Amino acid sequence: MVYVSSVNPREIKGPHIHTKRDSFFVCIHGKVVFIIKNKDGKYDEIESSDDNPVLVYVPKNYPSAHLNLSNNISRVLTLADLAWRPNDNEMKNDTFDNYDWSKWNRT
């Protein structure tokens, strides 16, 4: 399944876990940081933008979130190996309680 989603300025999508699908993401407009929590509890932060479009892989059962770093709407192209279906319950909300979100705040 391929789709494009919009992320409002400074908006955070997630964190959540996809239990059945692997996903690939790339920012095609604007600038987004993808935050992926590893099995050891550490976080990977990968920036992707229209100027530097980095492909980000998030395997199933890894919590992740993404944050729009720009002052305008950003757009993310997603490729998932399984299509979304209503009531499939494959997405679980998560929290990044020990993650420092403030590092992305503009001063």
Side-chain angles (χ1 to χ4, degrees), residues 42-88:
K42 295 180 182 172
Y43 297 95
D44 288 330
E45 301 165 337
I46 305 163
E47 291 186 32
S48 182
S49 68
D50 50 11
D51 288 333
N52 185 27
V54 175
L55 184 65
V56 178
Y57 171 61
V58 180
K60 65 182 170 228
N61 294 314
Y62 277 72
S64 67
H66 52 278
L67 164 67
N68 182 352
L69 298 176
S70 71
N71 290 322
N72 298 304
I73 292 173
S74 290
R75 289 186 179 76
V76 175
L77 178 70
T78 304
L79 170 64
D81 63 347
L82 295 174
W84 176 86
R85 290 184 171 72
N87 302 317
D88 69 1

